[in-house]
Amino acid sequence: KVVFAVQSGSQLLIEAIGEELDAVLEPVLSRAVIKRSKQGLFLKLGGDEIEYDAKFQLYLQSKLPNPHYRPEIAAQCTIINFIVTPTGLEEQ
């Protein structure tokens, strides 16, 4: 599903992720795109180079109340917390 979404330029939602993400998603998160002059854009995913459509969007959803991701992940993503509670605000 990830390969198809990247190639077709569609949106992909991965639900119920934990605080650790699969290493396969690292090139997608870091947008490690290779540009070849006449062939277009490519992304190395799981050992294979696949075509990359610039319209591709990835959404990660977690059910954790206050997830803490590695600094590298937090720097590569926009994290939005939709759960606002007094306890959650105090932790921030």
Side-chain angles (χ1 to χ4, degrees), residues 10-85:
S10 59
Q11 299 171 346
L12 176 65
L13 171 66
I14 301 177
E15 296 179 302
I17 61 167
E19 289 189 355
E20 292 295 321
L21 299 178
D22 194 350
V24 174
L25 292 176
E26 182 63 31
V28 177
L29 293 175
S30 64
R31 296 183 187 108
V33 177
I34 303 164
K35 184 174 183 179
R36 297 210 175 115
S37 60
K38 295 183 181 183
Q39 296 175 335
L41 301 173
F42 290 86
L43 181 73
K44 197 166 200 170
L45 188 66
D48 298 327
E49 282 191 5
I50 59 170
E51 289 186 48
Y52 177 83
D53 191 320
K55 293 181 250 173
F56 169 71
Q57 294 178 339
L58 175 65
Y59 298 95
L60 303 172
Q61 181 266 330
S62 174
K63 292 186 178 187
L64 299 173
N66 195 11
H68 296 282
Y69 295 104
R70 294 188 331 242
E72 303 87 39
I73 300 298
Q76 295 170 343
C77 302
T78 301
I79 299 174
I80 302 172
N81 187 352
F82 289 104
I83 300 174
V84 178
T85 62

